[in-house]
Amino acid sequence: MDLEVASTGSQGGISSTIQEFEQALLARVDALHLPSEGVLVGVQQRVQVLSNLDGAMANLPQEKRATAMYLSKFIMAVSAGLFDAALNYLWDETIGELRKRIIAYDLDYFFDNAVSSPEKRKDLSGPDDLLKVTDDELIRAAAKIGFVSSVGQQQLDLVRFMRNHASAAHPNQHELQPFALLGYMETCIKEVITLPDSPTMVATSRLLANIKRETVTAAHAESFAPLFEGLRRDQTETLANGLFGLYVSPESTSVIRDNIRLLLPLLWPHVTESVKANFGVRYARFQANLDLAQAELAHEFLVAVGGTSYLPEDIRSGQIDALLDRLRSAHHGFDNFYNEPPVAHELETYVGTLALPAGVSDKFAQVIVDAFLGRSSGLAYAADPIYERLLRRMTPNEAAGALLVATGPDVSALLRYDIPKSQFARLLDIIAPKLINRSATALMNHLRSFTGAPAQIALDTKMQSLRAKLAENL
């Protein structure tokens, strides 16, 4: 195909070139006695995409274009009439670029925030290990750090869903439309490939570089106090998790740990109670896994900030935390309808009738809400009654945490589909009677009166404000 004609010529020129190519190609397919009907997208649809590429790629700088091999394959697949393959190439370009940015930023910091399981974290160290992180984990952690905006996270969730259900990645019969494909391309370019680092990301990168390469002085540490004070709740959690992971890493030097101990007293007052308690849970996980060197370092981390009260009295919280990781993996893995119920039953046994340990309450709400809502493909029906019982035994504070999760960006993408929307209504009915916190009831009242599409809940400005107030009170 003449690429110059495709990029600069008239639509008629593009169309005739594609038709000649298609006739020769389909003639060969027919000669091999293979199906030829419905294999390729119509010529006019291909022309619509090719004629609008300049606009879709307008913000992609030349230096990025020079290495965007999968975007070239995207264009070739569009020209050939294989939109499903084109979407797959677009996703490969997006994920590949995101991985490059993560490697250039701080790989260990990313792993510490992408993976909550110490067992899985052990196997992640170099760039090649990014392949072990699922696309879902990659996008969520990238959003936490700032590589992807909150709006971009939702848009990428939609592109990822279409890639999984309408691209050549898996067998399907879904027909992609030209302008939808162009929209996915613009989303990936704007929200990942060309998204600039935020001031917070730049400052955090400078902080991590100083910790790893220099000896931090007291005066130097004080210079980061304004950064810590200006962080949002989620940004504070991300930084605290990153420093904890760096502190307990067997690869870290004594100088790195000295630097972190100097900075911790400035960050610690801004860390939420649930995150502080979770460090105690992670200590228990190290103990349970016989990772005694890391358990000692986790203990040392808490001692450095006077946080020994967050060490758990037993390993129950560590067991619950491990089961939540297993349940999350089962829920998002293959054969989830079969694999979820046994893990859910075991989790219910460990939770019992005792108070839920503070260090796992946030994670418990996240995992149970996610599992209860199901997936776009359906519910694990054998596990559904267990999830309902776990939701019904929640305390008012735990129910408020579940409401916070249910109205957040991680859930929004699910609410485009009928089964999760139905489950969402059930969830609200279960937790509503438990809410006694004024911030929680205000959020619930606004949610009940919300008239927009469920998938837009997390983008509603008032909803975001009420969620922020509730988060401060939990």
Side-chain angles (χ1 to χ4, degrees), residues 196-248:
D197 290 348
S198 67
T200 299
M201 286 183 67
V202 172
T204 302
S205 178
R206 181 167 63 91
L207 171 65
L208 294 172
N210 287 336
I211 289 173
K212 292 180 177 181
R213 299 170 192 166
E214 301 177 13
T215 299
V216 177
T217 65
H220 199 184
E222 286 289 345
S223 71
F224 288 101
L227 168 65
F228 300 156
E229 291 171 2
L231 293 176
R232 300 192 310 267
R233 181 176 185 264
D234 59 323
Q235 292 172 330
T236 302
E237 177 182 349
T238 300
L239 180 56
N241 278 324
L243 293 181
F244 180 87
L246 185 58
Y247 196 93
V248 302

Side-chain angles (χ1 to χ4, degrees), residues 444-458:
M444 176 61 82
N445 289 339
H446 180 63
L447 181 59
R448 294 288 201 188
S449 65
F450 184 74
T451 57
Q456 300 299 311
I457 286 172

Side-chain angles (χ1 to χ4, degrees), residues 263-296:
L263 290 161
L264 276 178
L266 300 170
L267 177 65
W268 195 251
H270 307 289
V271 179
T272 62
E273 289 299 301
S274 63
V275 173
K276 292 175 180 177
N278 186 252
F279 292 144
V281 172
R282 290 159 78 173
Y283 161 80
R285 289 283 294 269
F286 290 136
Q287 289 278 39
N289 294 333
L290 298 180
D291 294 324
L292 301 183
Q294 286 186 287
E296 183 178 347

Side-chain angles (χ1 to χ4, degrees), residues 157-198:
D157 276 337
L158 174 59
V159 178
R160 182 173 62 86
F161 175 84
M162 295 303 294
R163 182 260 182 184
N164 289 339
H165 293 82
S167 81
H170 304 288
N172 72 89
Q173 297 299 322
H174 186 87
E175 186 173 316
L176 289 162
Q177 298 303 309
F179 290 106
L181 192 61
L182 284 164
Y184 299 151
M185 185 182 198
E186 286 185 291
T187 291
C188 292
I189 290 173
K190 178 183 177 183
E191 301 299 341
V192 175
I193 298 175
T194 61
L195 186 72
D197 290 348
S198 67

Side-chain angles (χ1 to χ4, degrees), residues 94-111:
T94 304
I95 293 300
E97 183 62 29
L98 190 52
R99 287 171 178 159
K100 288 178 188 176
R101 294 188 66 185
I102 289 166
I103 292 168
Y105 187 77
D106 193 295
L107 191 56
D108 286 329
Y109 185 70
F110 172 81
F111 283 144

